Amino acid sequence: MKKLMYLLTCALGWSGCSSTQTPPPFPADRDMEARIEKILDTLTLEEKIGQMCQLTVGMVTDNSDPQHPFISDALLDTVIRHYKVGSILNIPFGIGQPPRVWLEVINKIQQRSLDELGIPCIYGVDQIHGASYTVGATLFPQGINMGAALNVELMRRASEISAYETRACGIPWNFAPVMDLGRDPRWPRMWESYGEDVCINSRMAAASVRGLQGDDPNHIASTRVAACIKHFMAYGVPVSGKDRTPSSVTRNALREKYFAPFLESIRAGALSLMVNSASNDGMPFHANRELLTGWLKEELGWDGLIVTDWNDIYNLSDRDHIAANHKEAVALAINAGIDMAMVPSDWKFCDYLRELVGEKVVPMSRIDDAVRRVLRLKMRLGLFEKPFPDAEAFDRFACGEFADVALQAAEESQVLLKNEGNLLPLKPSTRILLTGPNANSMRCLNGGWSYSWQGDRCDEFAEEYHTIYEALQEKFDHVTWIPGVEYGTPEEDWQTERLTGIERAVAAARQADVIVACVGENSYCETPGNMNDLNLSPNQQLLVRKLAATGKPVILILNEGRPRLIREIEPLARAVVDVLLPGNYGGDALARLLVGEANFSARLPFTYPRWPDALATYDFKPCQQMGPMEGEYNYDAVMDVQWPFGYGLSYTTFAYANLRAERTEFRDGDLLTFSVDVSNTGDRTGKEAVMLWSSDCVASLTPDVIRLRNFEKIELQPGQTRTVTLSIPASDLAFVGYDGRWRLEAGEFRIRMGTESLTIRCTETRVYETPNIPQAKH
C-alpha cells in the first residue's frame, strides 16, 4: 500500500515543482499542434503506448543464419502490428553498414509502420563523430577533440555534414551531441564530451544542435536530423569514476554548471534529450520528476521529447532497487516525465504501461502528453509527408569537401604540450624510428562508436585511411616502424597488450635522428572502458624509458580519450603532442603538423593530472590551493598538475596588449564588452584561441578561482595585429547561491585575456526570481 501511495504521489507531482508554464524557447507551429490533437483523438490506448516504446533493431532481426541475418516479417508483425511500437534504434546486424543497407532496413520497417499504424516510425542511432556507423562516411574527431579545437563554426559545419550523411541512410534521429561535463578523467566516456568546462560544452553543444537540425526546429530539412542532447545530467562525475555509477553533486552546482549546456542547447532548438543512466544523491535521474518534468518541461516550457538510455527504466528495479519489479519501475519513470522508453529488448513495457493506466497509477494525461511529444518530433522531421528518403538527393555523400573539413578539425584539435629547443617541426629528411602500440592503428585514432560499439573493427572498415605510420611515410623520407608493444587483435582478446620486441626498437633507434613514440589507449566505449589505474600502462612506460636511454630525442605522441598519467616519462621527452581521438584523418593531420605544413592551435579541454590521487578541474576553490599564489592568475603554480586546462603551444608566438572594457562599472542587464590587441610575434602563420576569463573577488558563496566566459579563434599572419572584442551579458557573472537562487552580487571582478587583466565593478546586487536567468537580448 505504501508503494502504491508513493507511485500515486509521483503521478500527481512533487511538491515544490512549479506547474506554471513559461514561454517556450521557440514557438510552436499552431497548424502542427492542431494536427497532433486530431491524430491523438483517433489513437487507442495500445497505439498511444506503442508510440512511447523504442526497441532495438535486433528485435525484428532473424539471426537463425548468422551469415545471412535479415529483417523478419514475422517479428515485424509482433513489434508493429501487435505492440504498435513507434521507434527502432541501433545498427542493423551489429556492425556498420553502407547507406544502401541502412535504407533497405529502415524503409522496410517504415513501410510496415505506415501500413499498420498510419504513423511513421522514427529510427534513432548513436553517430556521435560523423555518420560513424556508416561504411564510407566522413568520420570526424571525437567530441573531446572538438572541445580542444575551440572553433565553434567548425563544430557547426562538422555537425551539418554528420546530419547530411546520417539522413542519407534514412536515419532521422541522432543521439548527439554529448555534453556531459568531463570533470573526472577516470570516467570512460570523457572523450565523448567537449571537456571539463561549462562555457566550451555549452557553446559547442549549441553549435552542434544548430548544425544537426538547422535554424528552424519546427521544420527540419530532409538533409538534417533531430538532435538528442545527452546525458541529462552530471553523468561525467561519478564518485567512483566508473561508468553508470552515482554522482554526488550539490543542487546549486547542478543548476549552475551541469544544467547549463542542456539549457543552451534547448534554447538553440534541441528537440529531444536522453537521460543519465545513473543517480545523484540516491535518486536515479530516470525517476527524478523534479528534474525531468520540473526543470525541463515546466520551467522552460520545452515541448521536446525525453527518451531513456539503454534499459534504464528496468534498471530502476534491477540495479537501483527503488522499484520492486519492472512494472513499478515503468510507473516511476513515466510519471517522472519519460516520454519514450528505450526498453530495448522487451515489449512487455507496453503491457505494463497499459495495466498501470487501467489501475490509474499512471494518468491518461501523462500518456497523452508523452504521445504528443513523440508525434511532434516526427512531424517536425517531416516524416508524415516524406517517410522515405530520396537516396538520389545525397550525391555529396563522402565528398572531398567533407573530407577537407574533417582534416581541418583533426589539425585544429591536436595539442602541442611540449617542444624543447623547438625540436618540432621536423625536416622531411629526418630519420624517424616510429614505435608504440598506437602507431599503426585506425581503431586507436577513432575510439569507440566507430563502425562498431567498441571501435574494435575500425582497421577492417577504415583501410582506405592512413594510420600514423602510413601518414608519416607520405611526409618523411625515412620512417622505420617497430611497435615494441602491441594491442590484441579483434580475433583474440583485442583489449590486451603485449611486449613484441622492445630491444629491436632500441637497436633501430641508434640509427634514427628522432624517436616518435605513439602511446596511449586502445579503443573502448562505456563500461568496458572502466579502469582502476589512470597511469599509462607499465609496458608502454618501459618502452619509452628504454628508448630514451639511447640518448636520441623522444617525441611522445599521446593518443587517448582521457589523460593517462605520464609524470615519470614526460621528462624523458623533448616534445609531447596529445592527438586525443582525431578520427580517420588524424594520422594525416599529425603528419602535416610534425612536418610544419600545418600549425598547432588546440588547447587542452581538461586539466591534465600529474598524480592519480590529485585530480582537479581548473575552476577549483581558493581553499584548494597548495601554496601561495605566484602571480595574479598563475593557477598552474598552485595546483600540482601536468598541464593546466587551456594549455597549448604553437610554432609561432602571440602577444597581448591594451586590454580595455567599454564600462568598468555595471549592473544586471548590461552587456560587458572587452577588447584586446593580439599580435603574431613569430615567423609562421598561426591560429590563436583568444579566451576571456573572470574571477569574482569576493562572493557570499566561496567563488571559483577563475572561469572561462567566452572565446574566439582567430588566424594571424606573421607580424599581424588584430583587435579582438568579446562580449558577455552581465548575468554571466552571476552564480547560484546556497539558497538555490541565481544572484549577481555587487563587488569587484577581475577580467583576463591572455597576459592582460583589469578590474571591473558591479554596482548593485540582483537576486533573480526565476530558476534560470532569462536569455540575454542585446
Side-chain angles (χ1 to χ4, degrees), residues 183-190 240-242 520-521 524 529-538 540-541 558 560-567 569 606-616 642:
R183 296 171 71 82
D184 187 328
R186 300 171 299 169
W187 182 50
R189 303 189 72 169
M190 185 171 184
S240 70
K242 302 294 197 298
E521 295 189 311
Y524 59 87
N530 284 344
M531 64 186 307
N532 296 317
D533 187 356
L534 200 55
N535 286 290
L536 187 67
S537 77
Q540 296 186 46
Q541 294 202 49
L558 306 176
E560 54 192 5
R562 55 192 160 194
R564 301 300 293 268
L565 305 190
I566 57 169
R567 68 183 180 281
I569 62 171
F606 48 71
T607 302
Y608 205 117
R610 190 188 303 273
W611 305 95
D613 295 327
L615 307 179
Q642 193 74 53

Side-chain angles (χ1 to χ4, degrees), residues 87 89 152 167 183 199 210 223 244-245 282 364 408 440 446 463 507-508 569 589 697 710 768:
S87 182
L89 83 152
V152 176
R167 202 66 185 264
R183 296 171 71 82
C199 175
R210 292 187 177 99
T223 56
R244 287 172 163 84
T245 58
M364 197 65 207
Q408 179 189 351
N440 197 28
N446 279 293
E463 287 183 325
I569 62 171
C697 298
N710 200 353
Y768 298 83

Side-chain angles (χ1 to χ4, degrees), residues 617-634:
T617 54
Y618 84 95
D619 51 349
F620 58 86
K621 301 297 183 183
C623 62
Q624 294 176 268
Q625 295 174 9
M626 298 177 64
M629 291 192 78
E630 300 177 7
E632 189 172 9
Y633 283 99
N634 189 4

Side-chain angles (χ1 to χ4, degrees), residues 154-229:
L154 184 60
M155 181 73 253
R156 178 167 180 160
R157 180 64 180 136
S159 296
E160 288 175 352
I161 295 168
S162 177
Y164 181 93
E165 296 191 347
T166 297
R167 202 66 185 264
C169 300
I171 306 166
W173 192 15
N174 195 11
F175 303 141
V178 182
M179 65 198 64
D180 307 301
L181 300 185
R183 296 171 71 82
D184 187 328
R186 300 171 299 169
W187 182 50
R189 303 189 72 169
M190 185 171 184
W191 48 270
E192 297 181 48
S193 79
Y194 303 112
E196 72 182 47
D197 177 62
V198 177
C199 175
I200 293 175
N201 273 271
S202 297
R203 291 194 61 196
M204 289 297 183
S208 182
V209 166
R210 292 187 177 99
L212 291 170
Q213 294 186 174
D215 295 321
D216 183 356
N218 279 316
H219 303 93
I220 306 299
S222 60
T223 56
R224 304 291 182 111
V225 297
C228 185
I229 55 180

Side-chain angles (χ1 to χ4, degrees), residues 5 71 139 350 410:
M5 291 303 296
I71 303 302
L139 269 61
C350 299

